[in-house]
Amino acid sequence: KKQGHPPRIQISSQLISSGVMDGDEQSIDKDYCKITFTDNGIGFEQQYADKIFELFQRLHSRFNYEGTGIGLAICKKIVQNHKGFMQATGRPEIGASFEIFLPLK
């Protein structure tokens, strides 16, 4: 949480048809439900987007921000157990966005 700013979280969802994902050039062969969580928190440098999903990985010290470094790793494992995937984008001091893609059966 950024000091002096009330937390703001936006949640949205949409169906993604097989083909090309939402502006990316990544092909998919299934239909997905995309769930997006966006916040106005501390954000992160985009170069660490993969690292934040690793177990016990923290980008900031415990003295600056609370947390154990396992939350996003657990989320990723749950999504993978449902045959989905997730990705993150961030901007330092602006916030972060987390996208979860779960296949439709």
Side-chain angles (χ1 to χ4, degrees):
K1 173 182 153 185
K2 287 191 301 190
Q3 293 289 356
H5 291 85
R8 187 186 77 241
I9 298 172
Q10 296 176 315
I11 303 170
S12 62
S13 67
Q14 70 183 89
L15 296 179
I16 305 291
S17 297
S18 60
V20 177
M21 282 183 8
D22 200 28
D24 293 342
E25 296 304 319
Q26 182 177 358
S27 287
I28 55 174
D29 58 354
K30 304 177 187 178
D31 293 336
Y32 285 86
C33 177
K34 173 184 169 186
I35 305 167
T36 305
F37 299 86
T38 303
D39 68 35
N40 66 337
I42 59 173
F44 60 89
E45 294 282 349
Q46 193 59 39
Q47 68 192 31
Y48 301 114
D50 291 330
K51 182 178 181 176
I52 62 174
F53 292 109
E54 295 174 14
L55 196 57
F56 300 115
Q57 291 298 312
R58 297 174 48 89
L59 299 182
H60 306 283
S61 76
R62 287 188 178 168
F63 299 108
N64 294 332
Y65 299 101
E66 294 180 26
T68 59
I70 63 171
L72 288 173
I74 291 171
C75 292
K76 181 179 179 180
K77 188 65 175 170
I78 291 169
V79 170
Q80 288 175 332
N81 285 344
H82 290 281
K83 309 291 188 239
F85 60 96
M86 57 187 306
Q87 56 194 32
T89 55
R91 292 179 51 203
E93 301 304 317
I94 303 294
S97 182
F98 300 90
E99 296 175 329
I100 297 172
F101 294 86
L102 296 171
L104 298 176
K105 296 200 177 210

